[in-house]
Structure formats: structure tokens, C-alpha cells
Amino acid sequence: MSLLKRLPRGRTLGVAGAVGALVAGGLILAPMVNASAASGCRVAYTTNQWPGGFTANIAITNLGDPISAWTLGWTFGDAGQKVGQGWSATYTQSGTAVTAKSLDYNGNLGTGGSTSIGFNGTWTGANPNPATFTLNGVACTGTVGTPSPTTASPSPSRSVSPSPSRSTTPPPPQGTTPLAINGQLHVCGVNLCNQYNKAIQLRGMSTHGIQWFASCLNNASLDVLANDWKADLLRIAMYVQEQGYETNPSGFTAQVNNYVDMAEARGMYAIIDFHTLTPGDPNYNLDRAKTFFASVAQRNANKKNVIYEIANEPNGVSWQGIKSYAETVIPVIRAADPDAVVIVGTRGWSSLGVSDGSNESEIVNNPVNATNIMYTFHFYAASHKDDYRAVVARAARSLPLFVTEFGSVTYTGGGTVDLASTGTWLDLLDQNKISYANWTYSDANESSAAFKSGTCAAGSYANANSLSESGTYLRNRIRTADNFPTS
Ligand code: IDC
């Protein structure tokens, strides 16, 4: 494997995500979607901006008759203003005209009912707030909120944007596990948010290839991961090639589902990782992905602990190719499991394009047309250092990032364990509340493995002597107290 290829580096600013498809044509008056159209609305539109980017939060109150679906319309005051990733609505922009359409869960607004939506955007010339809005084609007669003061530069830690409108506040947690506290997750601005709409960071471990290291995944090992390591997250790395899924689709699907259940039983989140690697174009596995995700999404739709990672490390493929794959696979997942977070791999071994000489701008400028998604960034600390960190620090202001895999070692999975670089990386992720999973919770004979060879056969997961240098460090790091706000 070539050196350069494995390295994420990346840079950009961005935003991506939900953006609606561009619609040709001029000004759009939002279409009527309900016979009993609202006769008025109140909108509070507030932004937080920095050079080139902004986050907009929009609170909508229906002052008219009850409606079962809505379209909010407005016109940007400057041609350089663009909607990027949005949440809690489907956004469409044509020229300066923008519409935001309700989703299934927040379309119902009684008289006086309100909901909140928002998006990340970019701007070039000026960034004025829209002056007027329409709801279902009818001009809002209520107050349009005053723009909030803008800030000169982005805050170093990412802002927490309020997000999905939830009509009722969930009750207090019934348990103390990460899953019990946080419940169903969603993407809010550039963050991952819990059921209380608060930004959180999940920290945990990735399995090695489950076709090779199933012996490391059992009740005893996962008890240790949940209770001793206090991990929030298990990433289930299901290779597609290399004796993986393609050789036994039903068997691997069942194995993944079993690990989802085992994680759930211990209050941990589970990432279902469709571990494409070679070949690097995920479209090579498009039919397999559709079959696999249709199955696991249907089977796990009612669980709150599942996150879908649709392509591990795209390589040798353009961003357009990855985006096309994502826009085919995500609807398959949504059809069965509409509210789960989906993570999209990025170009150049999930380096945000950097390892291919590009950067995050290709995503920011051409985001995946879907809501509630995040983008993957991977690093190997002994190989990827300050230049990559600078890119992640920048990209994190505008793209929702999830480090679904990283190593404390070189990109080969072996070699030097670089704890200094690992620590610097994890500090950066902590500051930005970027969730992560470390490669690997296994006893593979390579320095990235958390356990020494022979640990899984012996079942000695809780023995400190079983831990590798990397495992010792990661366990100490992951078991520190979580910060999961509930109010
Ligand atoms: C490596 C494993 C190694 C295995 C190899 C090929 O550590 O035992 O032989 O894959 O399957 C990645 C990949 C991940 C790699 C890891 C280390 O997502 O599958 O695992 N890595 O090379 N990207 C960057 C590094």
C-alpha cells in the first residue's frame, strides 16, 4: 500500500449535507402544500457568521390554521449566499430563492405551533438576513426576528446549533449508560446531538475485520469495553472483500446484527461499517450495499443505538462518484430507518480528499443531498500530523465530522506507536466534540491492536498485562468521564 495513499490530510471549509437539489428557474413562491394554508407566521432567523460561512437557526411559528406540512420560503439578499447542510427540513435553492420543506415528523403545526430548523451556509459578498418569509406561499404577517450580532471569526469550539424540532422534551434518562442518557442521536449543525438536542462526543473502539477477529467479540470482551473502558461506541468493521461480506451475505449480516444487539445490551452505540477498502470505488459494491443496508436498516429501525457508515475508505474515486453512491444508498436506509445518522466516507481514504491532493472544499461546494449525515475523517497518528490537524480544525467549523477510525500508529496499522501525536489529535477531537473510534479492539499481531496476541484465546481482556502500548493509552483516554448534557 502506498504511503501517500493512506493519508488523510485535507482542508477546506465547508458545509455539506442536506442541501436540496437546485431547481432551475427564478423566484420560487413556495407551493401550497395544504388546502388550509396558514394565514400567517412568525419567523425568528438568527445567524452566527464568520468569513465565508454561517450557521442560520430558524424558529417558525404558525399563526394561521393548523397545517400538516409546510414550506418556508425566503429570498437571500445577496447572490453569494448559499445554503449548505441543513437539518430538520429539506432545502432547495434556486438563485437567491430558498425553500425549506417540512419532514414527516415536524410537518404538523397547529395554530400557534412552532418548530426549529437550520442550516450551515456560505457567503461571498455580504450576508444579510432575509427580510421576509412565506409559509405555504402566504407572506408571514408576524414578526421576522432580528438578526443576531455577527462574530468576527468562528469560535474555536464549534457552536451548538439547536436542531430538530421535537415537540416534546424527552423525559430524564432512565439509566446511566451512554445510550440511556443520549437516546436517539441526530446531526445538529456540525455536531452530533443527543435526544436533548445537546452536542455530544462519542468515544470508543473499532473492531478489526469481523471475518478474522470474531474471537475477540463476545460477552466477556464487550463487558470490559463497556464497563472497564467505559466506551460509548463500538464500530463493527464488516469488510466487503478479503473474505468478508461478499463471500456470505446472510452470515455477515447476521453477525453484524448480533454485535448491534450486544452493544445495545451494554448501553453502547454501534456503527455498522460497510468496510470497503480494495477496490476503493464504493460503486463497485453498490448492489451489495443496497442489499445489505436495506436489510440491516429494516432489522434495526427501532433501535436507537445504530449509526450507519456506508463506505469505509473510498480511494481511487472522485468525490462525485462517492456522492452518487451516497445518494443511492442513503435513501435505501431512510426508507427503512428514517431517523438514523448516516456517515459518508470521503475521497482519498476518508481524508476529506487531501490524500488525493484535494481538500474539503469539494464536499462543501457539492455536498451530499441528504439530511442527518456526517462525513468521515480517518488518521494514523504516526503518519499524519500538524498539516492534517490544521485541515480538520478548519473543516470542523463547517462540516459535521466523525472519526470512525484512527490509529495511534502508521497508516499500515503497524510500526511506531506515536502517543504524542495521538494525544494531540485526541485533544483536537475533544475540543471540537468530534466522535471517534480507535483501530482496533483486537489482539491482531500489529501495534494498532489494543491487546497483545493471544488475549482473545485466553479471554483475559480485563488484565492490564493484556493491553498493548496503544491499548493502555486508549483505555485511559476513553474511560475518562463523558460529558452528556441533558438540559
Ligand atoms: C488493516 C489491518 C491489517 C489488514 C489490512 C488489510 O490493520 O491487519 O491486513 O487492513 O485488510 C485503514 C483501513 C483498515 C486498515 C488500517 C491499517 O480502514 O482496514 O486495516 N487502515 O492499515 N485505513 C488506513 C489504515
Side-chain angles (χ1 to χ4, degrees):
M1 43 189 97
S2 90
L3 247 150
L4 280 180
K5 301 199 300 179
R6 282 273 157 145
L7 306 173
R9 311 162 162 198
R11 49 201 47 211
T12 301
L13 41 94
V15 160
V19 186
L22 297 187
V23 175
L27 268 206
I28 295 176
L29 272 189
M32 303 285 286
V33 294
N34 190 297
S36 56
S39 62
C41 67
R42 180 168 60 237
V43 172
Y45 181 102
T46 55
T47 62
N48 185 9
Q49 76 171 30
W50 56 92
F54 67 108
T55 296
N57 290 300
I58 309 170
I60 306 164
T61 304
N62 175 27
L63 301 177
D65 295 335
I67 48 177
S68 57
W70 46 262
T71 297
L72 185 74
W74 71 87
T75 302
F76 276 139
D78 189 277
Q81 291 173 297
K82 302 281 183 245
V83 174
Q85 177 165 19
W87 51 95
S88 306
T90 301
Y91 296 80
T92 302
Q93 181 170 0
S94 174
T96 54
V98 181
T99 59
K101 281 183 190 290
S102 59
L103 303 178
D104 285 349
Y105 74 90
N106 64 2
N108 271 313
L109 283 183
T111 304
S114 62
T115 191
S116 295
I117 65 173
F119 64 90
N120 290 325
T122 55
W123 60 281
T124 50
N127 192 32
N129 286 359
T132 58
F133 294 82
T134 58
L135 191 68
N136 288 356
V138 177
C140 291
T141 54
T143 321
V144 172
T146 315
S148 67
T150 56
T151 52
S153 63
S155 92
S157 62
R158 300 182 291 169
S159 61
V160 179
S161 16
S163 122
S165 42
R166 298 275 193 282
S167 41
T168 53
T169 305
Q174 296 300 302
T176 56
T177 66
L179 179 59
I181 297 168
N182 296 301
Q184 179 62 53
L185 305 175
H186 61 275
V187 180
C188 51
V190 293
N191 290 113
L192 185 63
C193 270
N194 65 15
Q195 62 180 333
Y196 303 102
N197 212 19
K198 302 297 179 192
I200 62 162
Q201 176 195 33
L202 300 178
R203 299 172 298 155
M205 294 296 292
S206 174
T207 70
H208 202 296
I210 61 173
Q211 78 276 41
W212 297 314
F213 289 92
S215 67
C216 299
L217 301 167
N218 49 60
N219 286 327
S221 70
L222 295 181
D223 280 349
V224 169
L225 184 62
N227 302 325
D228 175 47
W229 287 54
K230 303 188 189 307
D232 311 319
L233 174 69
L234 176 72
R235 179 197 195 221
I236 303 163
M238 186 197 72
Y239 277 70
V240 185
Q241 277 71 47
E242 301 188 56
Q243 292 81 53
Y245 176 81
E246 66 178 0
T247 66
N248 181 4
S250 61
F252 280 98
T253 302
Q255 191 181 353
V256 166
N257 286 332
N258 186 37
Y259 298 148
V260 166
D261 292 353
M262 292 169 82
E264 182 189 38
R266 291 163 177 79
M268 290 189 288
Y269 289 88
I271 294 180
I272 296 181
D273 163 31
F274 194 68
H275 201 85
T276 56
L277 185 59
T278 307
D281 183 349
N283 292 293
Y284 175 84
N285 289 304
L286 183 61
D287 286 343
R288 292 183 191 92
K290 287 160 73 175
T291 301
F292 173 73
F293 282 109
S295 175
V296 293
Q298 182 183 22
R299 192 266 186 186
N300 298 303
N302 294 327
K303 295 183 185 289
K304 295 181 176 174
N305 74 318
V306 176
I307 298 169
Y308 300 98
E309 181 180 2
I310 60 175
N312 166 50
E313 290 190 351
N315 57 88
V317 58
S318 67
W319 169 243
Q320 190 57 47
I322 300 166
K323 176 176 146 80
S324 161
Y325 168 84
E327 290 174 357
T328 306
V329 174
I330 291 171
V332 172
I333 296 173
R334 298 283 191 243
D337 188 352
D339 62 353
V341 172
V342 175
I343 309 173
V344 179
T346 60
R347 182 146 80 101
W349 287 268
S350 285
S351 69
L352 295 172
V354 179
S355 294
D356 276 358
S358 182
N359 61 45
E360 82 277 18
S361 64
E362 66 185 15
I363 304 171
V364 172
N365 296 331
N366 188 21
V368 172
N369 185 14
T371 53
N372 213 23
I373 63 167
M374 307 186 86
Y375 295 93
T376 311
F377 180 79
H378 287 174
F379 67 86
Y380 278 76
S383 303
H384 310 129
K385 300 188 178 179
D386 285 344
D387 49 350
Y388 285 93
R389 284 189 280 264
V391 170
V392 170
R394 183 184 63 212
R397 293 174 189 159
S398 34
L399 289 175
L401 301 178
F402 201 125
V403 174
T404 59
E405 178 186 312
F406 75 95
S408 60
V409 300
T410 73
Y411 66 87
T412 64
T416 310
V417 179
D418 190 336
L419 297 183
S421 176
T422 302
T424 305
W425 268 114
L426 296 184
D427 290 347
L428 173 68
L429 302 188
D430 291 353
Q431 283 156 15
N432 288 282
K433 293 190 188 296
I434 297 174
S435 298
Y436 64 73
N438 173 248
W439 185 261
T440 58
Y441 198 67
S442 82
D443 66 352
N445 189 20
E446 55 187 11
S447 50
S448 53
F451 295 109
K452 294 174 187 163
S453 293
T455 298
C456 300
S460 53
Y461 309 100
N463 185 338
N465 291 328
S466 297
L467 292 168
S468 68
E469 183 184 4
S470 184
T472 300
Y473 181 85
L474 265 302
R475 172 178 170 275
N476 285 336
R477 192 87 199 199
I478 289 172
R479 73 199 305 272
T480 57
D482 287 308
N483 175 19
F484 295 145
T486 57
S487 61

